[in-house]
Amino acid sequence: MKNVLILGAGQSAPRLISYMLEEASKNEWFVTVCDRDYELANRRINGHPNGTAIEFDVNDENMRGTLIENTDIVINFLSPSFQYVIALECLKHGKHVVTASYENPRVADFNKDAIRKGIIILNEMGLDPGIDHMTAMEIIQKIRDKDGYVKSFISYGSAIPAPEVLSNPLRYCITWNARNVVMAGETGAQYMEGGQIKLISHPQLFKRTWNVDVEGVGTLEAYPNRDSLIYQDIFELKKADTVIRGTLRYPGWSETWLQIIKLGITNEHLVIPDLKNRTYREVMEMLIPLHSNGAGPETRIAHFLDINPTGKIMGNLKWLGLFSGEKIGVDLKTPAELMAYILNKKLPLPKDARDMVILMHEIIGVYPKENDRKEKITATFIEYGEPGGDTAIAKTVGLPAAIAAKLILKNELPITGCHIPMHPAIYTRVLAELKEIGFQFHEKMENI
């Protein structure tokens, strides 16, 4: 019997877990789901005879080592900050590991060791990153098969409420780790446009937005996502003069989030003394200069941010409860932890509402043998969650990792080393099953 170890039972994990339990029944595997919240992990197992739940502390070295030593594959859905320590432990014990997080450069350095151990360390096996990479590679390969090359590569990803969900003024709901939302863009971004490299700092990132029309959804706003330049090498886009990866939100999100960054509520390094017993209003007072004119924090923050004190942005900050006299009342340390707590509390997905994920590629191919004919390929993928069931984010993040894990366990993924899903052996097999499940991109082609 083969053993599967799943680390993390949070919002992205339900479909991963149910898929692996279904496969466990067919293949006589056993699935262990580990989370610091035992009750949550146990609910995910839901009494399945081929599964069990364990209360898990990732920082418990002995427990971590014992669990990994006694499994055949680890599917790591913990916070990205634990990617390195889990990969290192898997390398030590010669165990395969799959994650959905962006590949940590320190983990990528394990490539030669993983080959020697005969294991695969497969990262970025989720939605974005994950499905986006695999579908982009599929399109790029089609262009190359026709002796063309990519001149422009623009790719967007998003996880937002479905258009009919109007449960809060920010038009956003938390369906995955709130910390990832809080820290989005913390390292800034860089991309190439028209042959020119553009660098953007964290404070400027949410000013650099543009409109994107998504068929079936409408107009959204985009902002640059992380380091787009690495994809010139990853996708081998040597002749491309535009390479941009962007994140999509409903219009208005960025202008509010920009002010939250300027206030400093996304700082995860400064520890606020006795934060639990302070009010939200007290914390806001900490974020602005000393005053002597008697004005309240709302007015002074509006002046500090240079925004309209009675405008929409200020209304959003008030709606989030940032000026409340209520005590925080939970054990938090940093402003970023507080902001994540606020987002979880104020922006839940309503019980019977749908979330939505969007991936969209806009790729321009050039065909030298056809008099340099240019073709624009727009590929759009939209998936909705099931009200009261699996969210779209759980399906689209969990299923690629689950399918890859199944292929590894069945010895149908004959590669070793550290990878993201750019290798044909990975993306062709995983995409084939995702299409069987119903994950389809709508492609539109036009000569330009």
Side-chain angles (χ1 to χ4, degrees):
M1 177 177 284
K2 291 187 176 180
N3 292 304
V4 179
L5 183 66
I6 298 176
L7 304 180
Q11 289 177 295
S12 298
R15 191 66 187 94
L16 158 71
I17 294 168
S18 62
Y19 180 101
M20 294 310 299
L21 288 170
E22 290 166 13
E23 290 298 322
S25 297
K26 299 174 189 175
N27 297 283
E28 296 186 358
W29 300 341
F30 194 82
V31 178
T32 301
V33 177
C34 301
D35 197 277
R36 61 182 177 182
D37 183 344
Y38 170 77
E39 294 301 327
L40 175 63
N42 199 41
R43 285 198 304 273
R44 301 291 194 225
I45 293 293
N46 195 29
H48 197 287
N50 289 66
T52 192
I54 292 179
E55 182 178 345
F56 176 66
D57 178 2
V58 66
N59 296 308
D60 184 331
E61 186 177 349
N62 290 332
M63 183 182 196
R64 188 179 70 230
T66 299
L67 285 169
I68 291 175
E69 183 179 12
N70 291 294
T71 196
D72 292 283
I73 190 168
V74 175
I75 308 175
N76 177 17
F77 266 44
L78 297 175
S79 165
S81 59
F82 298 112
Q83 184 187 129
Y84 175 79
V85 70
I86 296 300
L88 183 62
E89 196 79 55
C90 289
L91 189 64
K92 174 183 175 182
H93 296 289
K95 308 297 181 180
H96 306 293
V97 59
V98 177
T99 77
S101 300
Y102 282 99
E103 185 173 67
N104 184 315
R106 296 170 70 199
V107 173
D109 288 341
F110 291 154
N111 182 53
K112 290 182 180 178
D113 294 319
I115 292 171
R116 279 195 291 268
K117 287 275 190 173
I119 64 170
I120 182 169
I121 299 176
L122 180 54
N123 301 301
E124 305 191 15
M125 202 66 218
L127 168 70
D128 176 7
I131 297 176
D132 57 342
H133 293 345
M134 295 187 286
T135 51
M137 279 301 303
E138 190 174 54
I139 294 169
I140 291 167
Q141 191 56 52
K142 287 179 184 177
I143 292 171
R144 289 172 178 157
D145 288 345
K146 294 189 289 185
D147 296 319
Y149 66 88
V150 174
K151 178 175 177 59
S152 175
F153 175 86
I154 303 176
S155 180
Y156 301 103
S158 185
I160 54 180
E164 74 274 8
V165 179
L166 303 171
S167 59
N168 65 71
L170 279 75
R171 296 202 68 190
Y172 191 80
C173 294
I174 299 298
T175 55
W176 58 315
N177 190 329
R179 178 191 175 275
N180 294 345
V181 179
V182 173
M183 305 313 299
E186 64 173 323
T187 57
Q190 61 179 346
Y191 59 92
M192 177 175 287
E193 186 174 17
Q196 299 293 314
I197 293 175
K198 301 294 182 180
L199 306 177
I200 311 175
S201 67
H202 188 202
Q204 293 294 314
L205 185 65
F206 292 92
K207 283 184 177 180
R208 302 280 189 96
T209 62
W210 62 94
N211 288 334
V212 176
D213 291 323
V214 179
E215 188 175 353
V217 176
T219 300
L220 300 177
E221 68 179 22
Y223 64 85
N225 182 17
R226 299 178 180 247
D227 180 4
S228 299
L229 299 183
I230 62 173
Y231 294 96
Q232 276 191 295
D233 292 330
I234 290 172
F235 290 125
E236 297 183 355
L237 305 177
K238 297 175 183 177
K239 294 185 178 181
D241 61 10
T242 296
V243 181
I244 303 172
R245 280 172 46 87
T247 297
L248 299 175
R249 294 286 183 263
Y250 286 112
W253 167 267
S254 294
E255 63 182 4
T256 297
W257 198 256
L258 172 65
Q259 305 308 323
I260 287 172
I261 291 169
K262 286 167 69 175
L263 278 171
I265 321 177
T266 60
N267 187 308
E268 67 172 353
H269 302 292
L270 295 177
V271 175
I272 300 176
D274 196 28
L275 180 54
K276 177 179 180 178
N277 293 311
R278 298 186 185 277
T279 67
Y280 295 92
R281 196 175 187 88
E282 284 181 89
V283 175
M284 290 302 102
E285 289 280 9
M286 295 177 182
L287 298 172
I288 52 178
L290 289 172
H291 63 94
S292 58
N293 61 7
E298 294 96 331
T299 300
R300 286 181 288 111
I301 279 179
H303 291 160
F304 174 71
L305 297 174
D306 195 23
I307 60 174
N308 186 342
T310 58
K312 182 179 179 181
I313 296 173
M314 200 64 194
N316 288 342
L317 299 181
K318 289 179 180 178
W319 183 87
L320 285 168
L322 298 182
F323 304 103
S324 167
E326 176 189 352
K327 278 193 175 182
I328 291 163
V330 291
D331 288 318
L332 304 170
K333 294 181 180 179
T334 68
E337 288 179 358
L338 175 61
M339 195 66 229
Y341 173 72
I342 291 170
L343 293 183
N344 278 323
K345 183 170 71 169
K346 297 291 287 187
L347 304 179
L349 183 69
K351 183 178 179 182
D352 294 321
R354 303 185 301 168
D355 67 325
M356 172 179 68
V357 300
I358 302 169
L359 293 178
M360 189 168 83
H361 305 305
E362 294 177 346
I363 301 174
I364 296 176
V366 178
Y367 301 94
K369 292 184 178 179
E370 301 176 39
N371 296 318
D372 287 333
R373 178 177 69 88
K374 293 180 182 177
E375 179 182 59
K376 181 179 179 181
I377 302 163
T378 302
T380 307
F381 168 70
I382 300 174
E383 179 71 16
Y384 293 97
E386 302 159 9
D390 286 340
T391 62
I393 198 76
K395 289 190 284 184
T396 54
V397 174
L399 282 170
I403 293 167
K406 178 188 73 173
L407 293 172
I408 294 168
L409 286 167
K410 289 188 166 187
N411 298 316
E412 294 177 6
L413 206 57
I415 55 175
T416 58
C418 293
H419 291 272
I420 61 176
M422 304 299 194
H423 195 291
I426 302 171
Y427 73 77
T428 55
R429 295 294 305 276
V430 175
L431 284 180
E433 183 164 341
L434 287 174
K435 288 173 183 175
E436 289 177 8
I437 291 170
F439 286 13
Q440 293 285 348
F441 272 71
H442 172 67
E443 288 190 14
K444 181 172 67 176
M445 301 183 187
E446 55 184 321
N447 289 322
I448 57 173

